[in-house]
Amino acid sequence: MERLLLVVLLTLAAAAWALVVWQSRVMGGAEDMGAGLTMGMAAPLFLLMWLAMMVAMMFPASAPMILAFAGSQARRRATGGPSTPTWLFVLPYLAVWTAFGAAGYGIAVVGDALVGDSMAAADAMSRAAGGLLVAAGVYQLTPLKHACLVRCRTPFMFMLRYWRDGRWGAVTMGLRHGLYCLGCCWLLFLLLLPLGVMNVGAMVAVAALVFAEKALPYGDTVGKVAAFGLIGYGLFALSWPNALPTVM
């Protein structure tokens, strides 16, 4: 059962990547798509693509936690005990990231209104992105980041500490785990606004870092090494804005 679920999760992630790449090409070839943080997208399309991005980027890294929950329910069924569908754990997790996407869209709309469309705006956007890179790097080294990452890296410890029975228990666990994952990665994903929410290269880089931090041995060390890379690149971009291409 766990193998089947893993195949389903990876298939959904692959399908989401295909959708994002296709939409990126469509938008790249559309002459009427405007530049800016929203990439010319209305809120429904932005949120749809944001959700596809989350499935593509987060499902591989979150698979150990989802599989651990599904495995615990399978063992309950095998012993004749009550069990809960895994989707009740997954949906709140996705809801957290969708809500973050809605907040991101609001930030993008305000940012587009403030920045405008000019060479000066492009320079300001690159510097803002550089500042975000520095902030994301610094955040990687904070106790809050470490606390959230520990809970995302250890599924069984998470379940031992936060286990709740029943359907509502699965919902609250999924919500809690989603919030911890958001606490791990929110600044990394916020970087996608100035770099472009359809910037496949930036998505691959962020997804690789998130996966390494959460799922690979020495992931915590990988995150700390990445922190200095983010800070260094951010400082470089603050001095030479052209070193960091943005949506402007």
Side-chain angles (χ1 to χ4, degrees):
M1 186 65 181
E2 285 85 355
R3 289 183 180 180
L4 177 60
L5 180 58
L6 179 60
V7 170
V8 170
L9 291 174
L10 294 180
T11 300
L12 287 172
W17 274 110
L19 175 61
V20 168
V21 171
W22 173 78
Q23 182 66 18
S24 176
R25 291 180 177 178
V26 169
M27 293 177 66
E31 296 180 356
D32 59 341
M33 281 290 182
L37 297 176
T38 64
M39 301 292 290
M41 290 185 282
L45 179 58
F46 184 96
L47 289 177
L48 176 62
M49 296 313 302
W50 185 272
L51 184 58
M53 285 168 48
M54 293 305 103
V55 172
M57 301 170 73
M58 298 301 293
F59 266 20
S62 302
M65 182 67 238
I66 297 171
L67 291 173
F69 179 85
S72 69
Q73 299 303 319
R75 288 188 291 273
R76 286 182 165 223
R77 285 192 297 272
T79 58
S83 63
T84 304
T86 303
W87 63 265
L88 284 172
F89 177 84
V90 175
L91 281 185
Y93 178 90
L94 291 176
V96 168
W97 285 103
T98 303
F100 182 61
Y105 184 77
I107 293 171
V109 170
V110 173
D112 283 345
L114 292 175
V115 171
D117 186 12
S118 66
M119 291 300 296
D123 184 74
M125 184 71 72
S126 294
R127 292 183 186 278
L132 268 178
L133 279 170
V134 174
V138 171
Y139 183 72
Q140 290 284 110
L141 305 173
T142 63
L144 178 58
K145 164 75 179 192
H146 177 73
C148 292
L149 183 59
V150 166
R151 287 161 177 79
C152 289
R153 282 182 55 83
T154 53
F156 290 105
M157 288 183 62
F158 177 88
M159 289 198 301
L160 284 173
R161 183 168 183 177
Y162 299 111
W163 182 265
R164 299 292 185 274
D165 286 322
R167 290 174 171 260
W168 181 245
V171 170
T172 57
M173 287 174 64
L175 183 62
R176 186 185 294 271
H177 191 257
L179 289 171
Y180 278 128
C181 286
L182 179 63
C184 279
C185 312
W186 69 279
L187 263 175
L188 294 174
F189 284 103
L190 202 60
L191 276 170
L192 294 175
L193 290 178
L195 298 181
V197 292
M198 292 290 102
N199 185 330
V200 176
M203 285 179 57
V204 170
V206 172
L209 175 56
V210 170
F211 181 81
E213 283 188 318
K214 291 187 176 184
L216 297 183
Y218 309 108
D220 192 35
T221 302
V222 170
K224 287 183 171 60
V225 172
F228 294 104
L230 289 166
I231 293 170
Y233 191 16
L235 292 174
F236 184 70
L238 285 171
S239 301
W240 291 276
N242 289 336
L244 186 62
T246 68
V247 293
M248 298 300 293

